[in-house]
Amino acid sequence: MDLLAQILVNGILLGGLYAVMAQGLALVWGVLNIVNLAHGAFIMLGAYASWYLYTDLGVDPFLGLPITAAALFVLGYALQRGLLNLVVRAPMFNTLLITFGLEVVLTYLAQLAFSADFRTINPPYAGDSYALGPVTLPMARLAAFGVAVALTLGMWLFLLHSRLGRAIRATAQNLVAARLYGVEPRHLYAVTFGLGLALAGAAGGLYGTVSQINPYIGATLTAKCFAISIIGGLDNPLGVLVGGLFLGIIESLTTLYVGPTFADVASFGILVLVLFLRPSGLLGRAA
Amino acid sequence: MSRHLLRALPALAFVLCSGASAAPAAPTIVLGASIQLTGPVANTGRYYRDAYQIAVDQINAAGGVKIGGVPHTLALKIYDNQSDVNLSVRQYTQLVTQDKVNLLLGPFASNFALADSAVAEKYKVPMVQGGGASDQIFSRKFKYIFGTLAPASNYFGSTVDMLKALKPVPASVALLYADDAFDVSVAQGTRPLLKSAGLQVAMDERYSTNATDFASLLSQIKSKKVDAVLVAGHETEILNFVRQAKSLAVAPKLYSFTVGVPSEDFRKALGADADYAFGMTAWLPSAALKDRWFGDAEQFAQAYKAKYGYDPDYHAASGVADVQALVRAMEGADSLNPQKVRDALAKTRFDSLYGPIAFNAQGQIDLPQVVIQVQGDKLAEVYGAKGFITQPKYPMPAWDAR
């Protein structure tokens, strides 16, 4: 029983991290209709930025998150204005090609800059844990989970209640009508992509405190974020949080009851099931 | 200037030029390889590129390879396989068919060597590789593949011997391994060893290659109160394993890893958290390992560090031994003919900075693994063929008591 409780807690904490990683991918996909295959590579960049801030400048990884996020926001804004706006209304295949190319370029630039060596963001408290009865709560994961929930709620409030957020949603729903109301789509697209990357940057910082970093972690992370976005739905950030938690728990339980090699089988099996039964995601509006 | 002289000028120039290069360049022997210079395993792949290069440079500096009384220069033709097995196979095919290299050196990692050795076999060009240890590579009766890593099935052999000698003997053992050619071979070899040692196996789990989350496995280790944990996996996984063990406060009496512990980068990435980790190596840079080209293993390690800025581990030594084995075989055969070199390889016997090189009928060498442990900022030799060398730090204390 204690073990099951621990496994569930592991799953929930893992799921929170998953959710924050997938949040940016889902936003960009939902609003811009761009499946950003470079998303994982941007998480990797965020992780390296966090690592650099911590090891070279002594900035605590959690305090460094806003800096990393801001830097990636600027990068995202520029990329959308300079590159991706060119293909925003082109067939999906073009955006896939461009973002895949970005992924390759970023990965190899990272290897040039940082070599293939492994890095870890290892502040003194990274290995600390709280004991809650028989259950151990790893502090870094708990903090990552807290940030994940805060970012999700923040995104949700922002999209629902802020002027900019409403403009973003309006553009996603009806570009022509949004234009009539004075929305400038090119700027808005860039803000959205910037936000997506800011979330990836923050997620990278959190990821680096629990996992090792190397230039090649991106592709696997993109695949995971892709699955979570589909399972949770692209409509709202709460769906992505639910998708992440769901996947984290399923993977942990599968590892315990079936075997660790089946964790990936389970997550992608669920992806297929969700696509089949609820194509717009667990919390998405029924199609 | 007279017309005759003008006409003679080109001829004069020709004579002068050919005079300048009158000493004919030594004929070149090209060794081909496809290595992971980029991609997820580039971190270990670089050991092989660097080792091949330093070995070739050293041998050339010492006069090259004498065949038929003529000194030949060694050269390398290396492709980057981007950590992609399929690309690696295509590149080896290209090395043999298009580039017409003389002989082959290996890639890193068992799954690569497993696939690439088929190319060597098909075209009957010998490949000496020091990056693949899986027994699968050598169990196919291939004639053109030779390996300088100790067999994967026995990687944990010395560790299991040590477990029996520890006080107290661990009451239970967990065996975790990744689902690839090398780690599956390790697990297959370790299982009977644990059984005959009378150790109780509490967990025997295969996990996906590139797994990043070990929380569930670690929670099971804690819940079953496993004493000794043996992990056969990749460095990235083992880094995550150790960090997550700390964050979940999982401290078995001992854990040991097939890879990572001997490499400097691994210890750097973990910092103080690497302390107490056990590992194994078939090679340590000792002055007792005499070598024809480098003097001894210690001198080699210094030259390597000076050239590349990082310490060599057994991968590097094994890579150097590959080049040396080919050179010895060419000298032994007194020929560049691939078949003759192959036959000479099968018979070759010599002492190198890596240890004694002699291939068995399957083409693999056997070297005993020494158990090592990170003790503070040092890497200590703990247990070898003759028992304990230094006292192990055992049992490992709880994480908050370090």
Side-chain angles (χ1 to χ4, degrees), chain B residues 141-172:
Chain B
K141 299 202 167 78
F142 279 11
K143 280 202 159 74
Y144 288 83
I145 179 76
F146 295 87
T148 54
L149 282 187
S153 54
N154 200 31
Y155 258 57
F156 274 126
S158 52
T159 305
V160 174
D161 289 342
M162 183 189 74
L163 292 184
K164 287 186 292 185
L166 285 172
K167 290 191 183 86
V169 174
S172 58

Side-chain angles (χ1 to χ4, degrees), chain A residues 10 111 120-121 136 141 212 216, chain B residues 39 213 219 222 240 243 269:
Chain A
N10 292 348
Q111 180 175 350
T120 53
I121 304 172
T136 307
R141 289 205 180 203
Q212 57 84 27
Y216 307 101
Chain B
D213 186 61
S219 300
K222 194 178 188 183
N240 286 339
R243 294 194 76 199

Side-chain angles (χ1 to χ4, degrees), chain B residues 176-400:
Chain B
L176 312 177
Y177 60 104
D179 57 352
D180 71 7
F182 169 71
D183 299 297
V184 169
S185 279
V186 172
Q188 278 170 350
T190 307
R191 247 174 241 127
L193 294 175
L194 289 170
K195 200 171 168 215
S196 60
L199 294 160
Q200 188 221 332
V201 179
M203 287 171 70
D204 186 337
E205 296 278 2
R206 179 201 288 235
Y207 65 82
S208 310
T209 295
N210 293 328
T212 52
D213 186 61
F214 293 93
S216 286
L217 283 171
L218 284 162
S219 300
Q220 290 179 63
I221 288 169
K222 194 178 188 183
S223 146
K224 292 181 178 167
K225 300 195 169 56
V226 176
D227 277 353
V229 180
L230 309 182
V231 188
H234 309 92
E235 285 184 67
T236 50
E237 295 151 14
I238 286 161
L239 280 173
N240 286 339
F241 186 90
V242 173
R243 294 194 76 199
Q244 292 169 18
K246 182 181 180 188
S247 71
L248 283 162
V250 181
K253 287 201 170 76
L254 156 166
Y255 49 41
S256 177
F257 308 107
T258 48
V259 295
V261 177
S263 101
E264 183 185 330
D265 184 31
F266 176 86
R267 301 192 298 270
K268 218 190 272 171
L270 278 177
D273 295 344
D275 206 2
Y276 296 95
F278 283 90
M280 67 216 59
T281 183
W283 179 80
L284 285 162
S286 115
L289 292 166
K290 300 293 177 206
D291 185 83
R292 172 174 145 194
W293 287 280
F294 288 92
D296 61 49
E298 219 165 59
Q299 286 172 289
F300 158 72
Q302 280 161 11
Y304 189 96
K305 171 98 183 188
K307 182 162 183 173
Y308 300 115
Y310 66 94
D311 285 324
D313 75 354
Y314 69 89
H315 294 103
S318 160
V320 170
D322 296 341
V323 178
Q324 296 187 347
L326 281 174
V327 169
R328 291 273 185 171
M330 286 187 277
E331 287 175 347
D334 202 21
S335 163
L336 280 177
N337 179 296
Q339 275 79 21
K340 286 186 182 156
V341 174
R342 187 256 151 226
D343 293 339
L345 271 171
K347 283 184 289 197
T348 193
R349 256 162 196 64
F350 66 100
D351 288 324
S352 76
L353 58 88
Y354 178 58
I357 306 289
F359 301 102
N360 64 15
Q362 285 75 45
Q364 196 168 19
I365 70 167
D366 198 5
L367 287 177
Q369 299 276 7
V370 175
V371 178
I372 50 175
Q373 186 184 29
V374 182
Q375 298 190 344
D377 50 5
K378 279 205 331 278
L379 197 58
E381 287 178 76
V382 170
Y383 193 90
K386 290 181 196 135
F388 285 106
I389 304 164
T390 6
Q391 208 44 41
K393 284 169 54 174
Y394 172 89
M396 177 166 102
W399 285 97
D400 53 9

Side-chain angles (χ1 to χ4, degrees), chain A residues 218-285:
Chain A
T220 337
L221 295 181
T222 304
K224 205 127 257 180
C225 295
F226 180 83
I228 293 161
S229 306
I230 302 245
I231 292 170
L234 303 173
D235 288 349
N236 78 58
L238 294 182
V240 179
L241 181 62
V242 170
L245 291 177
F246 187 68
L247 204 70
I249 294 170
I250 293 285
E251 284 187 2
S252 298
L253 288 177
T254 312
T255 304
L256 175 62
Y257 288 115
V258 192
T261 32
F262 290 90
D264 283 347
V265 179
S267 52
F268 285 96
I270 283 167
L271 170 65
V272 173
L273 264 186
V274 168
L275 273 177
F276 187 65
L277 299 173
R278 285 191 67 90
S280 47
L282 290 178
L283 286 199
R285 285 182 300 269

Side-chain angles (χ1 to χ4, degrees), chain B residues 49-64 73-76 293-294 307-308 323:
Chain B
R49 178 198 50 196
D50 294 349
Y52 295 158
Q53 192 61 57
I54 200 172
V56 162
D57 291 349
Q58 192 76 10
I59 291 166
N60 284 339
T73 310
L74 282 180
L76 287 172
W293 287 280
F294 288 92
K307 182 162 183 173
Y308 300 115
V323 178

